[in-house]
Amino acid sequence: MQKAAREALKARVATEDARARAAEASLAEGTRALEELRERLEAVQGEAAEEERALREELGVAKAHAQDLALGIDAMRLQFADFESGALTREAWLEELEAEMEAVRGLSVVLAGHLSQVGCMVI
């Protein structure tokens, strides 16, 4: 009976030992998987930071163009005020207006391009 009890105890120890080795292997695999996830997270965070920097830069350029566009529109308003006050002849006002409108059109196209780029970056 004692021999049978010892054999049963040995079998139980072997079973528990096998379970412990399986748990250690599972823990090692989980640790490797966790490390891979950390590396991927760091890579994604790095990419996100770079994209955010590029987006902020693009928004800064778009803002500068929008400000230039607003200045051009204000210049057209001032030219019209000069025309209304008689400080500019109709011909001079039309020449200045045409030049300013061309500049505003160009800025509008550039601004639209930057805003489109921002939209693509956000998506």
Side-chain angles (χ1 to χ4, degrees):
M1 185 97 146
Q2 232 180 357
K3 191 174 182 180
R6 271 191 242 149
E7 290 300 320
L9 185 58
K10 282 183 183 179
R12 189 171 170 197
V13 167
T15 299
E16 291 302 318
D17 187 45
R19 283 184 184 161
R21 277 185 266 135
E24 285 175 352
S26 178
L27 179 60
E29 181 60 30
T31 302
R32 280 190 295 276
L34 181 60
E35 188 58 35
E36 286 176 15
L37 286 173
R38 276 192 195 125
E39 289 171 4
R40 283 192 225 156
L41 177 61
E42 288 172 2
V44 167
Q45 286 174 332
E47 290 171 13
E50 178 60 28
E51 288 177 8
E52 180 181 1
R53 184 203 60 74
L55 179 61
R56 287 183 186 277
E57 183 178 308
E58 194 66 32
L59 283 171
V61 171
K63 181 180 178 182
H65 286 300
Q67 289 169 339
D68 290 344
L69 185 61
L71 289 174
I73 292 169
D74 286 343
M76 285 190 283
R77 286 186 188 129
L78 290 173
Q79 289 165 354
F80 182 70
D82 286 346
F83 168 68
E84 281 190 320
S85 72
L88 282 177
T89 64
R90 179 176 170 81
E91 292 76 26
W93 171 63
L94 288 175
E95 284 178 22
E96 288 186 20
L97 182 62
E98 187 176 324
E100 199 61 50
M101 285 178 62
E102 189 61 36
V104 166
R105 272 190 224 109
L107 284 170
S108 296
V109 170
V110 171
L111 179 58
H114 284 288
L115 292 177
S116 175
Q117 181 69 25
V118 167
C120 289
M121 293 170 86
V122 170
I123 292 172

mmCIF file with all atom_site columns, all heavy atoms in Angstrom, residues 96-110:
data_model
loop_
_atom_site.group_PDB
_atom_site.id
_atom_site.type_symbol
_atom_site.label_atom_id
_atom_site.label_alt_id
_atom_site.label_comp_id
_atom_site.label_asym_id
_atom_site.label_entity_id
_atom_site.label_seq_id
_atom_site.pdbx_PDB_ins_code
_atom_site.Cartn_x
_atom_site.Cartn_y
_atom_site.Cartn_z
_atom_site.occupancy
_atom_site.B_iso_or_equiv
_atom_site.pdbx_formal_charge
_atom_site.auth_seq_id
_atom_site.auth_comp_id
_atom_site.auth_asym_id
_atom_site.auth_atom_id
_atom_site.pdbx_PDB_model_num
ATOM 1   N N   . GLU A 1 96  ? -5.850  98.364  -60.064 1.00 0.00 ? 96  GLU A N   1
ATOM 2   C CA  . GLU A 1 96  ? -5.425  97.860  -58.752 1.00 0.00 ? 96  GLU A CA  1
ATOM 3   C C   . GLU A 1 96  ? -6.302  96.695  -58.301 1.00 0.00 ? 96  GLU A C   1
ATOM 4   O O   . GLU A 1 96  ? -5.815  95.710  -57.751 1.00 0.00 ? 96  GLU A O   1
ATOM 5   C CB  . GLU A 1 96  ? -5.445  98.976  -57.711 1.00 0.00 ? 96  GLU A CB  1
ATOM 6   C CG  . GLU A 1 96  ? -4.329  99.983  -57.897 1.00 0.00 ? 96  GLU A CG  1
ATOM 7   C CD  . GLU A 1 96  ? -4.279  101.005 -56.779 1.00 0.00 ? 96  GLU A CD  1
ATOM 8   O OE1 . GLU A 1 96  ? -4.831  100.735 -55.694 1.00 0.00 ? 96  GLU A OE1 1
ATOM 9   O OE2 . GLU A 1 96  ? -3.671  102.063 -56.996 1.00 0.00 ? 96  GLU A OE2 1
ATOM 10  N N   . LEU A 1 97  ? -7.587  96.811  -58.561 1.00 0.00 ? 97  LEU A N   1
ATOM 11  C CA  . LEU A 1 97  ? -8.519  95.750  -58.193 1.00 0.00 ? 97  LEU A CA  1
ATOM 12  C C   . LEU A 1 97  ? -8.206  94.467  -58.949 1.00 0.00 ? 97  LEU A C   1
ATOM 13  O O   . LEU A 1 97  ? -8.188  93.380  -58.367 1.00 0.00 ? 97  LEU A O   1
ATOM 14  C CB  . LEU A 1 97  ? -9.965  96.198  -58.470 1.00 0.00 ? 97  LEU A CB  1
ATOM 15  C CG  . LEU A 1 97  ? -11.062 95.205  -58.098 1.00 0.00 ? 97  LEU A CG  1
ATOM 16  C CD1 . LEU A 1 97  ? -11.048 94.939  -56.596 1.00 0.00 ? 97  LEU A CD1 1
ATOM 17  C CD2 . LEU A 1 97  ? -12.422 95.735  -58.530 1.00 0.00 ? 97  LEU A CD2 1
ATOM 18  N N   . GLU A 1 98  ? -7.935  94.597  -60.221 1.00 0.00 ? 98  GLU A N   1
ATOM 19  C CA  . GLU A 1 98  ? -7.619  93.418  -61.027 1.00 0.00 ? 98  GLU A CA  1
ATOM 20  C C   . GLU A 1 98  ? -6.342  92.742  -60.524 1.00 0.00 ? 98  GLU A C   1
ATOM 21  O O   . GLU A 1 98  ? -6.288  91.515  -60.389 1.00 0.00 ? 98  GLU A O   1
ATOM 22  C CB  . GLU A 1 98  ? -7.445  93.821  -62.495 1.00 0.00 ? 98  GLU A CB  1
ATOM 23  C CG  . GLU A 1 98  ? -7.278  92.631  -63.410 1.00 0.00 ? 98  GLU A CG  1
ATOM 24  C CD  . GLU A 1 98  ? -7.210  93.047  -64.872 1.00 0.00 ? 98  GLU A CD  1
ATOM 25  O OE1 . GLU A 1 98  ? -7.900  94.001  -65.272 1.00 0.00 ? 98  GLU A OE1 1
ATOM 26  O OE2 . GLU A 1 98  ? -6.442  92.406  -65.594 1.00 0.00 ? 98  GLU A OE2 1
ATOM 27  N N   . ALA A 1 99  ? -5.322  93.530  -60.220 1.00 0.00 ? 99  ALA A N   1
ATOM 28  C CA  . ALA A 1 99  ? -4.072  92.970  -59.709 1.00 0.00 ? 99  ALA A CA  1
ATOM 29  C C   . ALA A 1 99  ? -4.298  92.284  -58.359 1.00 0.00 ? 99  ALA A C   1
ATOM 30  O O   . ALA A 1 99  ? -3.789  91.176  -58.114 1.00 0.00 ? 99  ALA A O   1
ATOM 31  C CB  . ALA A 1 99  ? -3.021  94.072  -59.576 1.00 0.00 ? 99  ALA A CB  1
ATOM 32  N N   . GLU A 1 100 ? -5.052  92.935  -57.499 1.00 0.00 ? 100 GLU A N   1
ATOM 33  C CA  . GLU A 1 100 ? -5.308  92.364  -56.179 1.00 0.00 ? 100 GLU A CA  1
ATOM 34  C C   . GLU A 1 100 ? -6.167  91.106  -56.290 1.00 0.00 ? 100 GLU A C   1
ATOM 35  O O   . GLU A 1 100 ? -5.938  90.120  -55.576 1.00 0.00 ? 100 GLU A O   1
ATOM 36  C CB  . GLU A 1 100 ? -5.986  93.398  -55.273 1.00 0.00 ? 100 GLU A CB  1
ATOM 37  C CG  . GLU A 1 100 ? -5.887  93.082  -53.804 1.00 0.00 ? 100 GLU A CG  1
ATOM 38  C CD  . GLU A 1 100 ? -4.458  93.024  -53.291 1.00 0.00 ? 100 GLU A CD  1
ATOM 39  O OE1 . GLU A 1 100 ? -3.677  93.956  -53.536 1.00 0.00 ? 100 GLU A OE1 1
ATOM 40  O OE2 . GLU A 1 100 ? -4.128  92.016  -52.629 1.00 0.00 ? 100 GLU A OE2 1
ATOM 41  N N   . MET A 1 101 ? -7.137  91.114  -57.195 1.00 0.00 ? 101 MET A N   1
ATOM 42  C CA  . MET A 1 101 ? -7.990  89.929  -57.382 1.00 0.00 ? 101 MET A CA  1
ATOM 43  C C   . MET A 1 101 ? -7.167  88.752  -57.905 1.00 0.00 ? 101 MET A C   1
ATOM 44  O O   . MET A 1 101 ? -7.395  87.610  -57.497 1.00 0.00 ? 101 MET A O   1
ATOM 45  C CB  . MET A 1 101 ? -9.148  90.248  -58.330 1.00 0.00 ? 101 MET A CB  1
ATOM 46  C CG  . MET A 1 101 ? -10.226 91.088  -57.662 1.00 0.00 ? 101 MET A CG  1
ATOM 47  S SD  . MET A 1 101 ? -11.578 91.523  -58.768 1.00 0.00 ? 101 MET A SD  1
ATOM 48  C CE  . MET A 1 101 ? -12.236 89.941  -59.179 1.00 0.00 ? 101 MET A CE  1
ATOM 49  N N   . GLU A 1 102 ? -6.219  89.029  -58.776 1.00 0.00 ? 102 GLU A N   1
ATOM 50  C CA  . GLU A 1 102 ? -5.355  87.957  -59.278 1.00 0.00 ? 102 GLU A CA  1
ATOM 51  C C   . GLU A 1 102 ? -4.540  87.354  -58.139 1.00 0.00 ? 102 GLU A C   1
ATOM 52  O O   . GLU A 1 102 ? -4.410  86.132  -58.033 1.00 0.00 ? 102 GLU A O   1
ATOM 53  C CB  . GLU A 1 102 ? -4.430  88.507  -60.372 1.00 0.00 ? 102 GLU A CB  1
ATOM 54  C CG  . GLU A 1 102 ? -3.650  87.447  -61.100 1.00 0.00 ? 102 GLU A CG  1
ATOM 55  C CD  . GLU A 1 102 ? -4.532  86.445  -61.830 1.00 0.00 ? 102 GLU A CD  1
ATOM 56  O OE1 . GLU A 1 102 ? -5.588  86.830  -62.365 1.00 0.00 ? 102 GLU A OE1 1
ATOM 57  O OE2 . GLU A 1 102 ? -4.156  85.256  -61.862 1.00 0.00 ? 102 GLU A OE2 1
ATOM 58  N N   . ALA A 1 103 ? -4.023  88.205  -57.281 1.00 0.00 ? 103 ALA A N   1
ATOM 59  C CA  . ALA A 1 103 ? -3.261  87.718  -56.122 1.00 0.00 ? 103 ALA A CA  1
ATOM 60  C C   . ALA A 1 103 ? -4.161  86.905  -55.189 1.00 0.00 ? 103 ALA A C   1
ATOM 61  O O   . ALA A 1 103 ? -3.768  85.849  -54.695 1.00 0.00 ? 103 ALA A O   1
ATOM 62  C CB  . ALA A 1 103 ? -2.638  88.901  -55.378 1.00 0.00 ? 103 ALA A CB  1
ATOM 63  N N   . VAL A 1 104 ? -5.372  87.401  -54.964 1.00 0.00 ? 104 VAL A N   1
ATOM 64  C CA  . VAL A 1 104 ? -6.316  86.696  -54.089 1.00 0.00 ? 104 VAL A CA  1
ATOM 65  C C   . VAL A 1 104 ? -6.690  85.348  -54.690 1.00 0.00 ? 104 VAL A C   1
ATOM 66  O O   . VAL A 1 104 ? -6.763  84.335  -53.992 1.00 0.00 ? 104 VAL A O   1
ATOM 67  C CB  . VAL A 1 104 ? -7.560  87.568  -53.809 1.00 0.00 ? 104 VAL A CB  1
ATOM 68  C CG1 . VAL A 1 104 ? -8.692  86.756  -53.207 1.00 0.00 ? 104 VAL A CG1 1
ATOM 69  C CG2 . VAL A 1 104 ? -7.191  88.721  -52.879 1.00 0.00 ? 104 VAL A CG2 1
ATOM 70  N N   . ARG A 1 105 ? -6.906  85.296  -55.993 1.00 0.00 ? 105 ARG A N   1
ATOM 71  C CA  . ARG A 1 105 ? -7.208  84.016  -56.659 1.00 0.00 ? 105 ARG A CA  1
ATOM 72  C C   . ARG A 1 105 ? -6.062  83.029  -56.452 1.00 0.00 ? 105 ARG A C   1
ATOM 73  O O   . ARG A 1 105 ? -6.278  81.858  -56.142 1.00 0.00 ? 105 ARG A O   1
ATOM 74  C CB  . ARG A 1 105 ? -7.455  84.230  -58.152 1.00 0.00 ? 105 ARG A CB  1
ATOM 75  C CG  . ARG A 1 105 ? -8.863  84.556  -58.487 1.00 0.00 ? 105 ARG A CG  1
ATOM 76  C CD  . ARG A 1 105 ? -9.096  84.507  -60.012 1.00 0.00 ? 105 ARG A CD  1
ATOM 77  N NE  . ARG A 1 105 ? -9.889  85.667  -60.360 1.00 0.00 ? 105 ARG A NE  1
ATOM 78  C CZ  . ARG A 1 105 ? -9.476  86.733  -61.023 1.00 0.00 ? 105 ARG A CZ  1
ATOM 79  N NH1 . ARG A 1 105 ? -8.269  86.804  -61.493 1.00 0.00 ? 105 ARG A NH1 1
ATOM 80  N NH2 . ARG A 1 105 ? -10.288 87.732  -61.248 1.00 0.00 ? 105 ARG A NH2 1
ATOM 81  N N   . GLY A 1 106 ? -4.845  83.509  -56.656 1.00 0.00 ? 106 GLY A N   1
ATOM 82  C CA  . GLY A 1 106 ? -3.686  82.636  -56.462 1.00 0.00 ? 106 GLY A CA  1
ATOM 83  C C   . GLY A 1 106 ? -3.589  82.120  -55.043 1.00 0.00 ? 106 GLY A C   1
ATOM 84  O O   . GLY A 1 106 ? -3.350  80.929  -54.817 1.00 0.00 ? 106 GLY A O   1
ATOM 85  N N   . LEU A 1 107 ? -3.793  83.009  -54.090 1.00 0.00 ? 107 LEU A N   1
ATOM 86  C CA  . LEU A 1 107 ? -3.760  82.590  -52.684 1.00 0.00 ? 107 LEU A CA  1
ATOM 87  C C   . LEU A 1 107 ? -4.883  81.613  -52.369 1.00 0.00 ? 107 LEU A C   1
ATOM 88  O O   . LEU A 1 107 ? -4.697  80.674  -51.589 1.00 0.00 ? 107 LEU A O   1
ATOM 89  C CB  . LEU A 1 107 ? -3.858  83.806  -51.764 1.00 0.00 ? 107 LEU A CB  1
ATOM 90  C CG  . LEU A 1 107 ? -2.592  84.643  -51.634 1.00 0.00 ? 107 LEU A CG  1
ATOM 91  C CD1 . LEU A 1 107 ? -2.888  85.940  -50.891 1.00 0.00 ? 107 LEU A CD1 1
ATOM 92  C CD2 . LEU A 1 107 ? -1.504  83.859  -50.912 1.00 0.00 ? 107 LEU A CD2 1
ATOM 93  N N   . SER A 1 108 ? -6.034  81.822  -52.981 1.00 0.00 ? 108 SER A N   1
ATOM 94  C CA  . SER A 1 108 ? -7.166  80.911  -52.752 1.00 0.00 ? 108 SER A CA  1
ATOM 95  C C   . SER A 1 108 ? -6.829  79.511  -53.224 1.00 0.00 ? 108 SER A C   1
ATOM 96  O O   . SER A 1 108 ? -7.133  78.522  -52.550 1.00 0.00 ? 108 SER A O   1
ATOM 97  C CB  . SER A 1 108 ? -8.412  81.410  -53.476 1.00 0.00 ? 108 SER A CB  1
ATOM 98  O OG  . SER A 1 108 ? -8.829  82.640  -52.963 1.00 0.00 ? 108 SER A OG  1
ATOM 99  N N   . VAL A 1 109 ? -6.184  79.421  -54.379 1.00 0.00 ? 109 VAL A N   1
ATOM 100 C CA  . VAL A 1 109 ? -5.803  78.105  -54.918 1.00 0.00 ? 109 VAL A CA  1
ATOM 101 C C   . VAL A 1 109 ? -4.771  77.446  -53.997 1.00 0.00 ? 109 VAL A C   1
ATOM 102 O O   . VAL A 1 109 ? -4.876  76.257  -53.683 1.00 0.00 ? 109 VAL A O   1
ATOM 103 C CB  . VAL A 1 109 ? -5.261  78.253  -56.358 1.00 0.00 ? 109 VAL A CB  1
ATOM 104 C CG1 . VAL A 1 109 ? -4.628  76.959  -56.835 1.00 0.00 ? 109 VAL A CG1 1
ATOM 105 C CG2 . VAL A 1 109 ? -6.379  78.681  -57.293 1.00 0.00 ? 109 VAL A CG2 1
ATOM 106 N N   . VAL A 1 110 ? -3.789  78.224  -53.573 1.00 0.00 ? 110 VAL A N   1
ATOM 107 C CA  . VAL A 1 110 ? -2.761  77.685  -52.679 1.00 0.00 ? 110 VAL A CA  1
ATOM 108 C C   . VAL A 1 110 ? -3.387  77.249  -51.358 1.00 0.00 ? 110 VAL A C   1
ATOM 109 O O   . VAL A 1 110 ? -3.101  76.160  -50.853 1.00 0.00 ? 110 VAL A O   1
ATOM 110 C CB  . VAL A 1 110 ? -1.647  78.731  -52.443 1.00 0.00 ? 110 VAL A CB  1
ATOM 111 C CG1 . VAL A 1 110 ? -0.695  78.284  -51.346 1.00 0.00 ? 110 VAL A CG1 1
ATOM 112 C CG2 . VAL A 1 110 ? -0.891  78.990  -53.734 1.00 0.00 ? 110 VAL A CG2 1
#
